[in-house]
Amino acid sequence: SATLLNYGAAGAIALDGSVTTGVLVITANGSVTDGTDGDLAISGDAIISGSTITLGNDVGNTTHFGNLRFGSSGATSISEDSDTNLYSASSASALILNSAGAITNAAAATLAITNNANFVGTTITLGTQAGDLMNFGSLDANGTDVTISEDSQTDLNLITATGTVTLTSTGAIVDNNGGLSNLRLVPL
């Protein structure tokens, strides 16, 4: 069985140094950060909740999750040094999700971002699994191939891709940035 690390705090949690485990559960009433020397190696599920979440964003951080789930009433910014797989229910006021690999979601995963959701990965494939639910206030994405299916109106800011772009929405797909270029297809 996987080793479980469970952190809880009435205030903020700062993950300093190296954290290596099978399952990580973090619950904070304040922010969750990893600082300049925080390295995370989670082979299984990472379940993170806090008022804001900032992980893997400092130069020199190494961050790996087997599967990722997060919840925040504020902004969430996560950079992962491998593929990112979202599972279960994740939510935030705003999201910046950077992955050195692919960004995907598991079947039945939900992602609810009140304001802007910004995804950067080698490939981005979200909302294509059975029973999943994807909703964003507005959308930005940058990858080789971008496939996103949203379960509400898609307010498009900018999609940048060197390969293919497939956007599907149960509502309209609308310009959200005042007529600026919404799709940037970069030739290989």
Side-chain angles (χ1 to χ4, degrees):
S1 68
T3 302
L4 168 68
L5 282 179
N6 192 342
Y7 295 97
I13 292 178
L15 300 169
D16 295 321
S18 293
V19 176
T20 302
T21 188
V23 177
L24 176 67
V25 178
I26 298 173
T27 305
N29 288 334
S31 62
V32 178
T33 61
D34 61 359
T36 57
D37 68 344
D39 293 330
L40 303 173
I42 314 306
S43 60
D45 297 340
I47 304 163
I48 303 163
S49 64
S51 61
T52 61
I53 300 168
T54 305
L55 297 172
N57 297 19
D58 289 304
V59 174
N61 283 152
T62 302
T63 305
H64 299 282
F65 305 114
N67 296 297
L68 176 63
R69 180 174 99 188
F70 57 85
S72 174
S73 58
T76 295
S77 179
I78 298 173
S79 293
E80 185 169 1
D81 296 300
S82 53
D83 292 343
T84 301
N85 185 53
L86 301 172
Y87 83 105
S88 192
S90 292
S91 62
S93 173
L95 174 65
I96 298 172
L97 184 60
N98 288 300
S99 177
I103 298 175
T104 59
N105 68 271
T110 63
L111 183 57
I113 307 303
T114 307
N115 297 299
N116 183 253
N118 187 330
F119 302 99
V120 177
T122 55
T123 60
I124 301 163
T125 306
L126 294 170
T128 62
Q129 299 295 319
D132 64 15
L133 189 63
M134 303 287 132
N135 289 294
F136 318 115
S138 61
L139 178 62
D140 287 88
N142 184 335
T144 302
D145 295 310
V146 176
T147 301
I148 298 174
S149 181
E150 187 170 359
D151 294 288
S152 57
Q153 176 175 300
T154 300
D155 292 334
L156 187 60
N157 285 343
L158 178 63
I159 304 293
T160 302
T162 56
T164 61
V165 174
T166 304
L167 296 176
T168 307
S169 177
T170 60
I173 298 175
V174 300
D175 174 16
N176 193 56
N177 64 6
L180 301 174
S181 176
N182 294 95
L183 292 175
R184 183 178 304 141
L185 302 176
V186 181
L188 296 173

